[in-house]
Amino acid sequence: MIKVVLDANQFVSALLKPHSNPAKIVRLVYEGDFTLLLSPAILDELQRVLAYLRIKKLHPRTPEEIDFFSEVGKNCSHNPRDTARFRNLT
């Protein structure tokens, strides 16, 4: 199994550009081809970046969805097989 780490910028790119390479990687994680490795630092940065005004204008996620995404990610960082819970957020 291939293990991947995506930084916050790659997650944002996947969210904003569904045909980008980061989005393809996220889809491969969903399909079980890759294992996603996360850290609390990456998730904290992602939460902060998604709250930037210029980024908020580009995505439809509410602050509650962003908080949920971060919490799910923290759980997934302990259990990488649980990444399917991200599906509704990307």
Side-chain angles (χ1 to χ4, degrees):
M1 178 74 63
I2 297 173
K3 296 178 183 176
V4 296
V5 176
L6 298 176
D7 70 16
N9 292 325
Q10 292 166 322
F11 274 111
V12 171
S13 179
L15 176 68
L16 299 179
K17 300 175 182 177
H19 300 292
S20 65
N21 286 333
K24 292 175 188 175
I25 292 170
V26 170
R27 278 193 295 280
L28 289 170
V29 169
Y30 293 147
E31 294 168 4
D33 294 330
F34 291 172
T35 297
L36 180 63
L37 302 177
L38 299 168
S39 73
I42 291 171
L43 292 166
D44 290 344
E45 181 181 359
L46 179 60
Q47 190 172 19
R48 190 175 63 251
V49 169
L50 289 177
Y52 291 164
L53 183 58
R54 70 179 188 273
I55 301 295
K56 282 173 53 172
K57 291 179 181 179
L58 300 174
H59 72 81
R61 304 300 182 255
T62 66
E64 293 79 17
E65 289 174 314
I66 294 169
D67 288 343
F68 177 74
F69 183 84
S70 182
E71 287 305 311
V72 169
K74 287 176 185 172
N75 292 333
C76 291
S77 65
H78 300 294
N79 182 6
R81 293 178 183 221
D82 197 22
T83 54
R85 294 173 63 190
F86 280 105
R87 187 167 304 160
N88 295 331
L89 300 172
T90 56

